[in-house]
Amino acid sequence: MGAETVNGDGFGFGWYPSDPQPGGEPGIFHSIEPAWNDQNLRELTRAVESPLFFSHVRAAAHPPIQQTNCHPFRYANWLFMHNGALADFDAVKRDLTFAVDPSLYPHIKGTTDSEVLFHLALTLGLQQDPVSALSKAVQMVESVGHEHGVTFPVQGTVAVSDGKSIWAFRYSSQQRSRTLFHSVDIETLQQMYPDEERLRSFGRHAHVVVSEPLNDLPGAFVEVPESTVAILDQSGYHHEPFLAQ
């Protein structure tokens, strides 16, 4: 909330198909256009049906504005996106990149800190245990950062999905993370606001995880606490501590 004046350095859209095939991948669409100015995005989203999708608008720090630097990033059936930064990435980039498993290294197409963080987490077991793997990846970034004199190496929120569940992390070394929210269950929201016609079009599985609330309805969104992972699966939301200090 308010970290950047405007996010106009490209965007990305990732989606899981409604009828997934065994071993299939989610689709992704990246553009360096501002999201509000891309007619192809409007056409695409009119035609796509998806039970779970990611969207990301980018405010570039140092890496160049190019499609390969747009989120979400994909590996097999996994999607990953990051709102934040690894501090002084130029100083730690070599050490962190060399820590990526050699079999995964060719899949790093861009130059962002976020993509390296994703592949570090994959190296450390993301596909088996996302919470444990990202915890190890963040701890590695902090350790390498401290070796290079970086006081607060990690900042931001991260979202990860395998197409069935979403893991949304809020963490920073300084304990001053970017904001993260998720909606309350739609049935609860419809009971709270029975006269809100816009809420009637949503089914009971409708959920959204966002960097900031999408509307001003009191009680519609829950803020994810600092050093917490919010997990959304078939049973709904639940929170777990993440590297709490």
Side-chain angles (χ1 to χ4, degrees):
M1 296 177 70
E4 282 85 21
T5 304
V6 65
N7 291 33
D9 299 323
F11 68 90
F13 178 59
W15 70 97
Y16 291 88
S18 298
D19 53 346
Q21 303 300 314
E25 295 182 332
I28 53 174
F29 177 77
H30 292 151
S31 173
I32 59 172
E33 295 277 352
W36 58 84
N37 195 45
D38 195 294
Q39 186 61 37
N40 289 325
L41 177 64
R42 297 178 184 272
E43 295 295 328
L44 182 67
T45 52
R46 287 194 186 104
V48 168
E49 290 187 7
S50 172
L52 193 162
F53 66 90
F54 274 19
S55 59
H56 184 277
V57 289
R58 185 168 181 244
H62 300 293
I65 298 170
Q66 58 193 45
Q67 286 192 17
T68 53
N69 284 342
C70 293
H71 309 220
F73 301 106
R74 177 182 65 191
Y75 179 80
N77 63 316
W78 290 84
L79 289 176
F80 176 101
M81 57 189 181
H82 174 214
N83 174 28
L86 306 186
D88 292 337
F89 183 57
D90 287 346
V92 300
K93 180 179 180 179
R94 183 179 185 277
D95 289 355
L96 295 179
T97 304
F98 274 31
V100 172
D101 187 277
S103 67
L104 293 170
Y105 180 80
H107 295 275
I108 300 177
K109 304 298 185 183
T111 60
T112 64
D113 50 353
S114 303
E115 192 176 16
V116 171
L117 179 62
F118 178 34
H119 285 81
L120 272 179
L122 286 167
T123 298
L124 297 168
L126 178 74
Q127 294 169 288
Q128 290 73 43
D129 188 336
V131 177
S132 174
L134 200 67
S135 173
K136 293 175 183 176
V138 167
Q139 288 174 324
M140 180 183 292
V141 172
E142 291 189 316
S143 176
V144 171
H146 291 153
E147 290 174 3
H148 287 269
V150 182
T151 306
F152 300 117
V154 178
Q155 164 61 256
T157 58
V158 168
V160 179
S161 181
D162 62 355
K164 297 179 181 178
S165 301
I166 295 175
W167 294 263
F169 302 82
R170 185 183 183 199
Y171 177 82
S172 67
S173 306
Q174 196 176 8
Q175 296 293 285
R176 295 177 59 186
S177 301
R178 301 290 178 89
T179 54
L180 183 66
F181 293 81
H182 65 70
S183 59
V184 301
D185 291 335
I186 193 64
E187 292 177 343
T188 300
L189 198 54
Q190 289 169 338
Q191 291 172 6
M192 291 170 59
Y193 297 100
D195 298 326
E196 281 285 345
E197 192 167 333
R198 56 182 163 164
L199 298 177
R200 296 174 190 170
S201 61
F202 295 103
R204 64 188 183 90
H205 294 297
H207 301 88
V208 62
V209 182
V210 288
S211 295
E212 54 193 11
L214 298 178
N215 59 48
D216 57 359
L217 290 176
F221 286 89
V222 175
E223 184 170 7
V224 177
E226 186 77 51
S227 301
T228 299
V229 53
I231 304 172
L232 171 60
D233 55 26
Q234 291 297 319
S235 64
Y237 293 107
H238 61 279
H239 293 180
E240 295 179 4
F242 181 75
L243 295 177
Q245 298 181 6

